[in-house]
Amino acid sequence: MSTSTRPRRRLLTALTILSGLGLLAATPAAADTLYHERYRPQFHFTPAQNWMNDPNGLIWYKGRYHLFFQYNPSGNDWGNMSWGHAVSTDLVHWKQLPVAIPQDDEEMVFSGSVVLDKDNTTGFGTRANPALVAVYTSLVKSTGVQRQSLAYSTDGGTTWTKYSGNPVLDLASANFRDPKVFWYAPTRSWLMAVALSDQHKISFYSSPDLKHWNHLSDFGPAGATGGVWECPDLFPLPVDGDPKKTKWVLAVNLNPGAIAGGSGAQYFVGDFDGKKFTADDSGPYTAPGGTSLQDFESGSFGEWTATGNAFGTAPATGALDGQSPVTGFDGKGFANSFHGGDAPTGTLTSPAFTVTSNYINFKVGGGNHPYRPGSVLGDAPAPTGETLADFEGGTYSSPIGDWTTTGDAFGTAPAQGTLPNQQEVSGYLGNGLANSYLNGDASTGTLTSPAFTIDKKYLDFLIGGGYHAANSDAPTAIELVVDGKVVRSATGANAEALNWASWDLSDLQGKQAQIKVVDANAGGWGHVNVDQVVLSDTQAQPRSEETGVNLLVDGKIVQSATGANSENLDWASFNTAAYKGKQVQLQVVDANTGGWAHVLADQFTAADKPALSSTQRAHWLDYGQDFYAANTFNDVPGGRRVMTAWMNSWNYGGNIPTSPWRSADTFPRQLSLRTVNGGTQLIQQPVSELKTLRGTETDVPATTVTDGTTPLGVHGSTLELKADLTPGTADRFGLDVRTGAGQRTRIGYDTGTGEIYLDRTASGATDFDPTFSSTEHAPLALDGKPLHLRVLVDASSVEVYAENERGEQVVLTDQIFPDPSSTGVDVFADNGTASLTRLQAWRLASIWK
């Protein structure tokens, strides 16, 4: 459980059953019924109301699975962290119980685990009636210190008592959390895996009684380290079902820096001797060899040309003044644009050269500011035309008349730059701008122009501030109003820097219109910045704000890579097979002046194989955006290892459009280990109890699709699909789910890259956060053989289990927010043919009955 980067009854009616089966669209009245609201998952656990995040304390006890979870009893945003509680007899149907372990005046109750103290080592119960003991992270409200504490229950988990001797483990650290505890029979002791989050380490401790702990060892840093490490889990599994061949799995959750860019869960396979965990692939990584293009070892940039002043006059040999330590560069020199801090900008460009290899590999670090297609380097001239407002005066007057305000967000006059307690505002022209941060984010209001006639093709303007779209409940946006209706709108990107945006007004010529700047948001990033509103015949182009490395062909950017907000340089790669024989250039760009506004680069090498970053080399439990805080149940009968995770992301978790609840858990997965290509891979499948929700099976005949999309006659908002698809000549092929109303969520395979992908860019509501609209990718080689898919579709999620013929598996989980009418399933192929050789489909019943 982290706050370091993201502070924040069951009913039975025929109508709701039919709605859960996807046979009947919900009426407005039904949509407001608890557990059947719009977007409410119908076979994934959600709390009846309020915010939920990490699953905690997972345990089977006396025929019931106990799911505890991070919970805010008081609202639908993160806060007041306590342990919520739900139980199930089958891992499918859940009953929510009262809050188990509430926060109090001194502490919030963060993530942890629950064990059954069979031998009464704590003395909290008796041998005849042993206690359930929760080992949790206690956040001390007054200091921010995180320490490990105990609570116990002697009535089967219904009521809990905090141990009077808390805390039982305290390092006086603000990044020491999420203990996973289990009984280790060989030493007859309790073992704890707990995260030293900011150090990218998992610490192991042992105890005879859960009260007194001895440090054994640490694991890490290893694998992906782009964000804090959290919620570890350590457990053994047989390999290929052979109990004589056992390996240990260490799951480590990461935020941010996961394979999809935000929150995620990685795992390590290895050995555990009771004291120390050793990963199987713990050796150093050697990138593919090749021909050096630039290693920055000569003491100068050679033929590479620098502009601006960010890169200095020669390669850096380490961290610069004011910079944290830099790691990951090879040799002595590397390109570093931190000269003078984050404010300077510039470029470093290679001479043109002919591509002779399949890949150009290089190391990159620094800020995570990707290249934005269509953006331009430098300050292009402001568009010319009729200025509707430049906000340069002492009042909101303009060439077309006075703009009017409501509320208190915009004050009585334009702001002269950054307002008190605001991060630095940049990108505006002149001295003034409209800035609704007056008195902070809590203030709200509007700023409206006089009416004007649209007589030019474009309306150009500078905009920054919060990302809250005009159609959201609490927008921070600029709107174009015609005939009383909003016909265009734009919002910021959760950044104080203003950048150009433009509306094409070709269809509105001769119309009377008004500009309305709206701040209706009192939460985080609840403000908007606007400047230089111009009617023009020229479309403004956004300024580049990138920090990264680009590949240029004919002067145009064809591939780019950026850092990860880290001073560590990691490998990246450009696929240059399509450019063999062509002249190209490499360009290192720092066009950003905000936070992490610098780039690091080194070791440009032409090679036949790609170099892989540490993130790419890591083993991922899930390649989607919405799988985090993954953990497994203790004491499941038969030795089953069952995992669930928080089906949300810290990138946008507080903004998803659900009410009165926020967040769901993934459907429980049974884990196993399989030997694949000489290595050991963790395999996941939905628990078999899912079958109890199945309706009548639908079998779709085999079909070939060519250059298009074919509906399959399957409909449902809650579905289980099993499909086999065989590649033909198509570049891409796969399934679309939740289709209709112009929406789809695409589960595709790209034959060129050898990747399966999950595309939610057209899945429904995506405009509530700038990071939500996305496509996730996972490597899975088919070699011309079938792709095997198992897909779980719910009201607001898609979980994809994909395998090839060799038994390699990848899993992708994403939230989606489609229209209730979007229930179709299609097969598609792009630029060629592909075959659907099998599709089995089941509608899944609602668990809320």
Side-chain angles (χ1 to χ4, degrees):
M1 162 64 230
S2 173
T3 59
S4 59
T5 56
R6 296 289 191 273
R8 290 208 346 143
R9 297 205 195 262
R10 300 177 298 165
L11 303 172
L12 179 59
T13 69
L15 174 63
T16 54
I17 293 173
L18 291 172
S19 176
L21 291 171
L23 299 172
L24 182 66
T27 65
D32 293 333
T33 303
L34 193 59
Y35 278 112
H36 294 278
E37 304 89 346
R38 185 182 181 115
Y39 306 137
R40 173 77 79 167
Q42 292 301 296
F43 63 93
H44 292 80
F45 174 75
T46 52
Q49 60 185 21
N50 297 341
W51 170 273
M52 175 185 75
N53 52 285
D54 306 2
N56 303 149
L58 308 179
I59 190 169
W60 181 90
Y61 178 65
K62 289 188 176 181
R64 297 201 302 179
Y65 296 90
H66 290 260
L67 166 65
F68 300 92
F69 48 91
Q70 290 287 278
Y71 185 60
N72 181 359
S74 304
N76 208 19
D77 296 304
W78 186 94
N80 308 306
M81 283 294 98
S82 305
W83 274 27
H85 189 193
V87 293
S88 172
T89 59
D90 62 1
L91 289 168
V92 176
H93 300 86
W94 294 94
K95 178 182 179 181
Q96 188 173 347
L97 301 178
V99 172
I101 310 176
Q103 67 144 11
D104 56 34
D105 291 341
E106 296 182 356
E107 69 171 13
M108 282 199 281
V109 183
F110 277 10
S111 299
S113 50
V114 170
V115 296
L116 176 64
D117 187 13
K118 294 180 181 178
D119 297 329
N120 197 32
T121 62
T122 59
F124 292 154
T126 65
R127 286 185 177 271
N129 183 33
L132 290 172
V133 181
V135 188
Y136 67 90
T137 295
S138 167
L139 173 77
V140 182
K141 292 182 177 181
S142 61
T143 64
V145 167
Q146 299 173 4
R147 54 197 193 182
Q148 315 320 314
S149 295
L150 306 180
Y152 60 92
S153 172
T154 56
D155 59 4
T158 301
T159 60
W160 293 80
T161 302
K162 293 180 180 179
Y163 172 46
S164 61
N166 284 337
V168 296
L169 186 56
D170 186 359
L171 302 183
S173 169
N175 286 280
F176 180 49
R177 54 183 174 267
D178 310 335
K180 181 61 183 281
V181 176
F182 62 95
W183 179 254
Y184 186 66
T187 58
R188 294 194 55 77
S189 63
W190 297 104
L191 286 181
M192 176 195 294
V194 61
L196 297 171
S197 297
D198 58 343
Q199 298 180 43
H200 306 115
K201 291 182 179 180
I202 303 302
S203 284
F204 299 103
Y205 289 82
S206 68
S207 172
D209 57 5
L210 295 174
K211 299 176 179 177
H212 304 88
W213 294 92
N214 297 308
H215 181 253
L216 299 174
S217 65
D218 293 332
F219 173 80
T225 58
V228 293
W229 278 17
E230 297 185 316
C231 301
D233 197 358
L234 179 69
F235 51 87
L237 281 175
V239 180
D240 301 323
D242 184 355
K244 296 181 180 179
K245 186 181 179 183
T246 297
K247 282 287 192 180
W248 286 78
V249 178
L250 175 63
V252 178
N253 293 268
L254 176 77
N255 175 60
I259 188 66
S263 311
Q266 63 182 322
Y267 72 92
F268 304 86
V269 176
D271 298 306
F272 182 69
D273 62 5
K275 294 183 179 180
K276 182 179 180 181
F277 176 81
T278 304
D280 287 348
D281 54 358
S282 57
Y285 174 70
T286 301
T291 302
S292 176
L293 302 174
Q294 174 63 276
D295 60 10
F296 299 110
E297 291 300 299
S298 69
S300 74
F301 290 131
E303 296 181 347
W304 288 47
T305 303
T307 66
N309 52 7
F311 291 93
T313 58
T317 57
L320 299 171
D321 289 345
Q323 188 174 25
S324 298
V326 178
T327 59
F329 60 96
D330 292 345
K332 296 180 180 179
F334 62 100
N336 184 346
S337 74
F338 197 77
H339 287 81
D342 275 330
T345 60
T347 63
L348 183 62
T349 308
S350 77
F353 62 95
T354 302
V355 174
T356 59
S357 62
N358 289 328
Y359 296 92
I360 294 176
N361 299 326
F362 53 95
K363 286 190 165 184
V364 63
N368 182 4
H369 303 287
Y371 164 70
R372 178 181 172 184
S375 62
V376 294
L377 282 173
D379 290 323
T384 59
E386 182 183 1
T387 299
L388 305 184
D390 60 10
F391 302 113
E392 287 300 298
T395 65
Y396 283 116
S397 62
S398 77
I400 61 170
D402 292 339
W403 290 48
T404 57
T405 63
T406 65
D408 57 354
F410 294 94
T412 59
Q416 299 300 298
T418 306
L419 294 171
N421 300 316
Q422 187 176 22
Q423 298 177 42
E424 183 178 357
V425 178
S426 61
Y428 58 98
L429 300 182
N431 298 313
L433 74 155
N435 181 346
S436 72
Y437 194 77
L438 189 66
N439 299 317
D441 276 330
S443 56
T444 59
T446 64
L447 176 64
T448 306
S449 77
F452 60 92
T453 301
I454 297 174
D455 58 2
K456 291 183 171 55
K457 187 175 181 181
Y458 298 103
L459 185 72
D460 301 323
F461 51 92
L462 290 163
I463 186 168
Y467 185 99
H468 306 285
N471 61 357
S472 66
D473 292 338
T476 53
I478 181 172
E479 302 172 349
L480 179 67
V481 181
V482 175
D483 297 330
K485 296 180 180 179
V486 177
V487 295
R488 302 284 192 277
S489 66
T491 187
N494 288 349
E496 299 295 9
L498 287 79
N499 208 338
W500 286 108
S502 185
W503 294 325
D504 188 332
L505 307 181
S506 299
D507 60 327
L508 298 172
Q509 294 299 299
K511 294 278 189 179
Q512 287 284 293
Q514 287 180 286
I515 301 293
K516 189 173 184 180
V517 186
V518 180
D519 176 356
N521 197 297
W525 282 106
H527 64 280
V528 60
N529 307 324
V530 173
D531 195 18
Q532 210 66 26
V533 184
V534 180
L535 271 173
S536 177
D537 289 322
T538 303
Q539 185 173 25
Q541 291 180 284
R543 292 187 297 261
S544 171
E545 297 173 336
E546 66 194 284
T547 54
V549 177
N550 296 326
L551 178 67
L552 307 181
V553 178
D554 297 328
K556 297 181 180 179
I557 297 171
V558 295
Q559 294 184 53
S560 63
T562 188
N565 288 350
S566 170
E567 301 294 10
N568 180 66
L569 289 86
D570 203 354
W571 284 107
S573 183
F574 291 148
N575 186 332
T576 53
Y579 308 112
K580 282 187 175 179
K582 292 187 176 182
Q583 291 276 294
V584 302
Q585 288 178 287
L586 293 164
Q587 187 173 66
V588 189
V589 180
D590 177 354
N592 200 292
T593 60
W596 280 104
H598 61 280
V599 60
L600 317 171
D602 195 14
Q603 294 299 319
F604 289 89
T605 305
D608 291 330
K609 295 182 179 180
L612 302 178
S613 69
S614 58
T615 303
Q616 292 172 307
R617 301 195 305 270
H619 306 292
W620 295 99
L621 284 162
D622 198 292
Y623 285 79
Q625 290 278 4
D626 294 306
F627 188 89
Y628 192 62
N631 219 293
T632 63
F633 285 84
N634 283 335
D635 301 343
V636 177
R640 295 172 72 192
R641 184 59 58 171
V642 176
M643 173 176 279
T644 192
W646 183 48
M647 195 160 60
N648 208 342
S649 169
W650 286 115
N651 273 351
Y652 47 74
N655 295 330
I656 60 173
T658 62
S659 180
W661 85 102
R662 188 166 277 136
S663 295
D665 282 338
T666 60
F667 193 80
R669 304 174 180 183
Q670 184 157 333
L671 308 182
S672 61
L673 289 176
R674 177 187 295 168
T675 301
V676 182
N677 292 337
T680 306
Q681 184 182 19
L682 189 69
I683 302 298
Q684 308 168 65
Q685 293 295 342
V687 294
S688 59
E689 290 89 339
L690 175 67
K691 295 177 181 178
T692 63
L693 298 179
R694 287 177 176 174
T696 302
E697 179 178 333
T698 298
D699 294 304
V700 175
T703 184
T704 297
V705 60
T706 303
D707 289 333
T709 301
T710 300
L712 297 176
V714 174
H715 292 270
S717 59
T718 55
L719 293 169
E720 178 187 3
L721 306 173
K722 289 186 177 181
D724 295 333
L725 298 108
T726 302
T729 60
D731 293 338
R732 292 165 295 278
F733 64 92
L735 297 177
D736 290 337
V737 298
R738 295 304 302 265
T739 65
Q743 300 172 357
R744 62 158 171 79
T745 298
R746 174 153 287 185
I747 304 159
Y749 187 84
D750 188 318
T751 58
T753 62
E755 293 176 321
I756 189 166
Y757 61 93
L758 182 54
D759 177 358
R760 64 179 179 187
T761 57
S763 60
T766 62
D767 60 358
F768 51 85
D769 189 277
T771 64
F772 186 81
S773 182
S774 63
T775 301
E776 282 61 70
H777 303 263
L780 188 69
L782 293 184
D783 301 319
K785 296 180 180 179
L787 169 67
H788 306 291
L789 294 177
R790 188 173 184 184
V791 181
L792 303 185
V793 180
D794 205 342
S796 55
S797 65
V798 175
E799 293 167 279
V800 179
Y801 300 77
E803 291 191 18
N804 62 18
E805 286 286 277
R806 294 194 298 271
E808 291 175 283
Q809 184 196 62
V810 292
V811 186
L812 303 94
T813 299
D814 271 3
Q815 293 182 93
I816 57 172
F817 299 98
D819 188 273
S821 65
S822 303
T823 61
V825 179
D826 304 338
V827 63
F828 77 91
D830 291 341
N831 298 323
T833 63
S835 297
L836 175 69
T837 54
R838 180 189 72 147
L839 178 69
Q840 297 168 283
W842 297 268
R843 291 180 178 178
L844 299 178
S846 172
I847 66 174
W848 308 119
K849 59 182 181 179

